[in-house]
Amino acid sequence: MEIAEHIQVVDAEGRLLAAAAEKAGTDAQVATCPGWQIRDLVRHQGSVHRWATAFVAEGLTERRPMPEAPADTDGDALLAWFREGHHRLVDTLTNARPGLECFAFLPAPSPLAFWARRQAHETTVHRVDAQSALHPVTAQEAAPIGAEFAVDGIDELLLGFHARQRSRMRSDAPRVLRVRATDADVTWTVRVTQDPPAAERGATADAECEVSGPAARLYLALWNRLPFPAVSGDFALAEQWRERAGV
């Protein structure tokens, strides 16, 4: 996907998140994030947006702590704070120089491409979280997530996040998990060992377990927002993902 497409997603999903949060109210429980209320979700995502904006807007080349959200702000004022930060992020990404140099923590064609993509997926997953405060997440709620975007997000998660040392998805004995998007003709092979998982596109090894389904459902399942649509083979490996693969 192109940078401009990711920025469009950041814009649209941030608006949807704010609308769902406003409708649910800041006291509402977030079903997909046990222990969180909407105010916690909005404060988190608002802080992430401001954190990302700073790297791009100021050309920061080293990691900085995430800014804290205003703990004494709630209700309409909190939503206004979120919307202001979201608007600034979209504006900053839209007007950034393509050759911008700044900090990024996953491989990408450029720092700007990294931040546009990362914030697109960050905001989309948390939009689903905000909607879960209104009613349980279902397959119908995942439908607005296009297959191409979902495949892009699975790539980011499997080939990016879980390639890092901090991934907790490990196994003393080597295991192989297959991920198959049934509506996109895309598969991933994930080798789980004592090292960080090694994932690649394609059915490159025999798998002990396969999780499969429409790309959007898989995307949310791999982020532990939905159950896996279908599991075949060793169910224990799929369950291990749900227990240990949180980012």
Side-chain angles (χ1 to χ4, degrees), residues 39-57:
R39 64 173 55 87
D40 302 308
L41 175 64
V42 171
R43 286 170 180 159
H44 167 76
Q45 190 61 69
S47 294
V48 170
H49 282 170
R50 284 165 170 78
W51 184 65
T53 297
F55 288 112
V56 177

PDB file of all heavy atoms in Angstrom, residues 39-57:
ATOM      1  N   ARG A  39     -12.325   5.814  28.410  1.00  0.00           N
ATOM      2  CA  ARG A  39     -11.384   6.908  28.712  1.00  0.00           C
ATOM      3  C   ARG A  39      -9.931   6.421  28.630  1.00  0.00           C
ATOM      4  O   ARG A  39      -9.050   7.146  28.193  1.00  0.00           O
ATOM      5  CB  ARG A  39     -11.674   7.532  30.074  1.00  0.00           C
ATOM      6  CG  ARG A  39     -11.496   6.638  31.269  1.00  0.00           C
ATOM      7  CD  ARG A  39     -11.651   7.413  32.583  1.00  0.00           C
ATOM      8  NE  ARG A  39     -12.929   8.116  32.632  1.00  0.00           N
ATOM      9  CZ  ARG A  39     -14.069   7.549  33.077  1.00  0.00           C
ATOM     10  NH1 ARG A  39     -14.072   6.281  33.476  1.00  0.00           N
ATOM     11  NH2 ARG A  39     -15.171   8.233  33.125  1.00  0.00           N
ATOM     12  N   ASP A  40      -9.683   5.171  29.070  1.00  0.00           N
ATOM     13  CA  ASP A  40      -8.324   4.619  28.999  1.00  0.00           C
ATOM     14  C   ASP A  40      -7.889   4.446  27.548  1.00  0.00           C
ATOM     15  O   ASP A  40      -6.754   4.752  27.183  1.00  0.00           O
ATOM     16  CB  ASP A  40      -8.263   3.265  29.713  1.00  0.00           C
ATOM     17  CG  ASP A  40      -8.683   3.353  31.168  1.00  0.00           C
ATOM     18  OD1 ASP A  40      -8.135   4.204  31.885  1.00  0.00           O
ATOM     19  OD2 ASP A  40      -9.567   2.575  31.572  1.00  0.00           O
ATOM     20  N   LEU A  41      -8.789   3.947  26.727  1.00  0.00           N
ATOM     21  CA  LEU A  41      -8.501   3.746  25.314  1.00  0.00           C
ATOM     22  C   LEU A  41      -8.216   5.074  24.610  1.00  0.00           C
ATOM     23  O   LEU A  41      -7.246   5.201  23.855  1.00  0.00           O
ATOM     24  CB  LEU A  41      -9.687   3.047  24.643  1.00  0.00           C
ATOM     25  CG  LEU A  41      -9.620   2.861  23.134  1.00  0.00           C
ATOM     26  CD1 LEU A  41      -8.470   1.941  22.749  1.00  0.00           C
ATOM     27  CD2 LEU A  41     -10.943   2.314  22.606  1.00  0.00           C
ATOM     28  N   VAL A  42      -9.059   6.069  24.870  1.00  0.00           N
ATOM     29  CA  VAL A  42      -8.895   7.374  24.227  1.00  0.00           C
ATOM     30  C   VAL A  42      -7.599   8.040  24.681  1.00  0.00           C
ATOM     31  O   VAL A  42      -6.874   8.632  23.871  1.00  0.00           O
ATOM     32  CB  VAL A  42     -10.116   8.271  24.514  1.00  0.00           C
ATOM     33  CG1 VAL A  42      -9.870   9.701  24.043  1.00  0.00           C
ATOM     34  CG2 VAL A  42     -11.358   7.701  23.839  1.00  0.00           C
ATOM     35  N   ARG A  43      -7.296   7.942  25.966  1.00  0.00           N
ATOM     36  CA  ARG A  43      -6.034   8.518  26.451  1.00  0.00           C
ATOM     37  C   ARG A  43      -4.833   7.817  25.819  1.00  0.00           C
ATOM     38  O   ARG A  43      -3.868   8.469  25.419  1.00  0.00           O
ATOM     39  CB  ARG A  43      -5.978   8.419  27.979  1.00  0.00           C
ATOM     40  CG  ARG A  43      -6.892   9.416  28.681  1.00  0.00           C
ATOM     41  CD  ARG A  43      -7.012   9.134  30.169  1.00  0.00           C
ATOM     42  NE  ARG A  43      -7.883  10.113  30.810  1.00  0.00           N
ATOM     43  CZ  ARG A  43      -8.487   9.920  31.975  1.00  0.00           C
ATOM     44  NH1 ARG A  43      -8.301   8.777  32.631  1.00  0.00           N
ATOM     45  NH2 ARG A  43      -9.265  10.858  32.491  1.00  0.00           N
ATOM     46  N   HIS A  44      -4.895   6.496  25.732  1.00  0.00           N
ATOM     47  CA  HIS A  44      -3.794   5.749  25.106  1.00  0.00           C
ATOM     48  C   HIS A  44      -3.605   6.168  23.654  1.00  0.00           C
ATOM     49  O   HIS A  44      -2.501   6.523  23.233  1.00  0.00           O
ATOM     50  CB  HIS A  44      -4.061   4.255  25.199  1.00  0.00           C
ATOM     51  CG  HIS A  44      -3.172   3.430  24.322  1.00  0.00           C
ATOM     52  ND1 HIS A  44      -1.849   3.171  24.635  1.00  0.00           N
ATOM     53  CD2 HIS A  44      -3.401   2.849  23.106  1.00  0.00           C
ATOM     54  CE1 HIS A  44      -1.307   2.458  23.664  1.00  0.00           C
ATOM     55  NE2 HIS A  44      -2.217   2.250  22.725  1.00  0.00           N
ATOM     56  N   GLN A  45      -4.698   6.113  22.879  1.00  0.00           N
ATOM     57  CA  GLN A  45      -4.554   6.394  21.459  1.00  0.00           C
ATOM     58  C   GLN A  45      -4.206   7.846  21.194  1.00  0.00           C
ATOM     59  O   GLN A  45      -3.432   8.158  20.275  1.00  0.00           O
ATOM     60  CB  GLN A  45      -5.840   6.026  20.716  1.00  0.00           C
ATOM     61  CG  GLN A  45      -5.697   6.049  19.206  1.00  0.00           C
ATOM     62  CD  GLN A  45      -4.652   5.050  18.715  1.00  0.00           C
ATOM     63  OE1 GLN A  45      -4.860   3.838  18.788  1.00  0.00           O
ATOM     64  NE2 GLN A  45      -3.527   5.537  18.232  1.00  0.00           N
ATOM     65  N   GLY A  46      -4.738   8.744  22.004  1.00  0.00           N
ATOM     66  CA  GLY A  46      -4.370  10.151  21.860  1.00  0.00           C
ATOM     67  C   GLY A  46      -2.899  10.384  22.141  1.00  0.00           C
ATOM     68  O   GLY A  46      -2.241  11.193  21.462  1.00  0.00           O
ATOM     69  N   SER A  47      -2.349   9.669  23.121  1.00  0.00           N
ATOM     70  CA  SER A  47      -0.921   9.784  23.420  1.00  0.00           C
ATOM     71  C   SER A  47      -0.079   9.199  22.296  1.00  0.00           C
ATOM     72  O   SER A  47       0.947   9.762  21.909  1.00  0.00           O
ATOM     73  CB  SER A  47      -0.599   9.067  24.740  1.00  0.00           C
ATOM     74  OG  SER A  47      -1.203   9.711  25.830  1.00  0.00           O
ATOM     75  N   VAL A  48      -0.512   8.047  21.748  1.00  0.00           N
ATOM     76  CA  VAL A  48       0.218   7.438  20.635  1.00  0.00           C
ATOM     77  C   VAL A  48       0.239   8.381  19.437  1.00  0.00           C
ATOM     78  O   VAL A  48       1.278   8.549  18.783  1.00  0.00           O
ATOM     79  CB  VAL A  48      -0.408   6.082  20.249  1.00  0.00           C
ATOM     80  CG1 VAL A  48       0.191   5.569  18.949  1.00  0.00           C
ATOM     81  CG2 VAL A  48      -0.200   5.057  21.357  1.00  0.00           C
ATOM     82  N   HIS A  49      -0.884   8.994  19.128  1.00  0.00           N
ATOM     83  CA  HIS A  49      -0.926   9.926  17.994  1.00  0.00           C
ATOM     84  C   HIS A  49       0.045  11.086  18.193  1.00  0.00           C
ATOM     85  O   HIS A  49       0.761  11.483  17.260  1.00  0.00           O
ATOM     86  CB  HIS A  49      -2.348  10.454  17.813  1.00  0.00           C
ATOM     87  CG  HIS A  49      -3.272   9.482  17.140  1.00  0.00           C
ATOM     88  ND1 HIS A  49      -4.633   9.689  17.058  1.00  0.00           N
ATOM     89  CD2 HIS A  49      -3.042   8.290  16.514  1.00  0.00           C
ATOM     90  CE1 HIS A  49      -5.190   8.677  16.402  1.00  0.00           C
ATOM     91  NE2 HIS A  49      -4.246   7.817  16.077  1.00  0.00           N
ATOM     92  N   ARG A  50       0.098  11.632  19.390  1.00  0.00           N
ATOM     93  CA  ARG A  50       1.004  12.756  19.649  1.00  0.00           C
ATOM     94  C   ARG A  50       2.468  12.304  19.616  1.00  0.00           C
ATOM     95  O   ARG A  50       3.346  13.046  19.178  1.00  0.00           O
ATOM     96  CB  ARG A  50       0.659  13.398  21.000  1.00  0.00           C
ATOM     97  CG  ARG A  50      -0.584  14.264  20.927  1.00  0.00           C
ATOM     98  CD  ARG A  50      -1.144  14.594  22.317  1.00  0.00           C
ATOM     99  NE  ARG A  50      -2.181  15.614  22.222  1.00  0.00           N
ATOM    100  CZ  ARG A  50      -3.428  15.363  21.834  1.00  0.00           C
ATOM    101  NH1 ARG A  50      -3.798  14.117  21.523  1.00  0.00           N
ATOM    102  NH2 ARG A  50      -4.314  16.347  21.768  1.00  0.00           N
ATOM    103  N   TRP A  51       2.711  11.098  20.091  1.00  0.00           N
ATOM    104  CA  TRP A  51       4.060  10.517  20.074  1.00  0.00           C
ATOM    105  C   TRP A  51       4.539  10.370  18.636  1.00  0.00           C
ATOM    106  O   TRP A  51       5.642  10.805  18.290  1.00  0.00           O
ATOM    107  CB  TRP A  51       3.996   9.163  20.778  1.00  0.00           C
ATOM    108  CG  TRP A  51       5.274   8.426  20.969  1.00  0.00           C
ATOM    109  CD1 TRP A  51       6.351   8.802  21.732  1.00  0.00           C
ATOM    110  CD2 TRP A  51       5.588   7.129  20.435  1.00  0.00           C
ATOM    111  NE1 TRP A  51       7.316   7.821  21.703  1.00  0.00           N
ATOM    112  CE2 TRP A  51       6.876   6.790  20.926  1.00  0.00           C
ATOM    113  CE3 TRP A  51       4.911   6.228  19.631  1.00  0.00           C
ATOM    114  CZ2 TRP A  51       7.501   5.575  20.600  1.00  0.00           C
ATOM    115  CZ3 TRP A  51       5.517   5.017  19.307  1.00  0.00           C
ATOM    116  CH2 TRP A  51       6.801   4.699  19.788  1.00  0.00           C
ATOM    117  N   ALA A  52       3.704   9.788  17.785  1.00  0.00           N
ATOM    118  CA  ALA A  52       4.066   9.619  16.375  1.00  0.00           C
ATOM    119  C   ALA A  52       4.254  10.970  15.693  1.00  0.00           C
ATOM    120  O   ALA A  52       5.190  11.157  14.903  1.00  0.00           O
ATOM    121  CB  ALA A  52       2.992   8.805  15.665  1.00  0.00           C
ATOM    122  N   THR A  53       3.373  11.900  15.982  1.00  0.00           N
ATOM    123  CA  THR A  53       3.459  13.231  15.364  1.00  0.00           C
ATOM    124  C   THR A  53       4.792  13.887  15.661  1.00  0.00           C
ATOM    125  O   THR A  53       5.407  14.505  14.782  1.00  0.00           O
ATOM    126  CB  THR A  53       2.313  14.120  15.864  1.00  0.00           C
ATOM    127  OG1 THR A  53       1.061  13.542  15.453  1.00  0.00           O
ATOM    128  CG2 THR A  53       2.422  15.529  15.301  1.00  0.00           C
ATOM    129  N   ALA A  54       5.265  13.757  16.888  1.00  0.00           N
ATOM    130  CA  ALA A  54       6.514  14.420  17.275  1.00  0.00           C
ATOM    131  C   ALA A  54       7.692  13.919  16.460  1.00  0.00           C
ATOM    132  O   ALA A  54       8.533  14.712  16.017  1.00  0.00           O
ATOM    133  CB  ALA A  54       6.772  14.214  18.765  1.00  0.00           C
ATOM    134  N   PHE A  55       7.780  12.613  16.229  1.00  0.00           N
ATOM    135  CA  PHE A  55       8.900  12.076  15.445  1.00  0.00           C
ATOM    136  C   PHE A  55       8.900  12.642  14.037  1.00  0.00           C
ATOM    137  O   PHE A  55       9.945  13.028  13.507  1.00  0.00           O
ATOM    138  CB  PHE A  55       8.832  10.549  15.394  1.00  0.00           C
ATOM    139  CG  PHE A  55       9.170   9.877  16.698  1.00  0.00           C
ATOM    140  CD1 PHE A  55       8.211   9.198  17.417  1.00  0.00           C
ATOM    141  CD2 PHE A  55      10.465   9.942  17.211  1.00  0.00           C
ATOM    142  CE1 PHE A  55       8.514   8.592  18.621  1.00  0.00           C
ATOM    143  CE2 PHE A  55      10.783   9.338  18.416  1.00  0.00           C
ATOM    144  CZ  PHE A  55       9.807   8.660  19.128  1.00  0.00           C
ATOM    145  N   VAL A  56       7.739  12.696  13.420  1.00  0.00           N
ATOM    146  CA  VAL A  56       7.641  13.167  12.039  1.00  0.00           C
ATOM    147  C   VAL A  56       7.775  14.681  11.956  1.00  0.00           C
ATOM    148  O   VAL A  56       8.525  15.212  11.130  1.00  0.00           O
ATOM    149  CB  VAL A  56       6.314  12.695  11.410  1.00  0.00           C
ATOM    150  CG1 VAL A  56       6.162  13.236   9.986  1.00  0.00           C
ATOM    151  CG2 VAL A  56       6.230  11.171  11.408  1.00  0.00           C
ATOM    152  N   ALA A  57       7.080  15.397  12.816  1.00  0.00           N
ATOM    153  CA  ALA A  57       7.071  16.861  12.752  1.00  0.00           C
ATOM    154  C   ALA A  57       8.424  17.462  13.120  1.00  0.00           C
ATOM    155  O   ALA A  57       8.849  18.458  12.528  1.00  0.00           O
ATOM    156  CB  ALA A  57       5.987  17.415  13.673  1.00  0.00           C
TER     157      ALA A  57
END
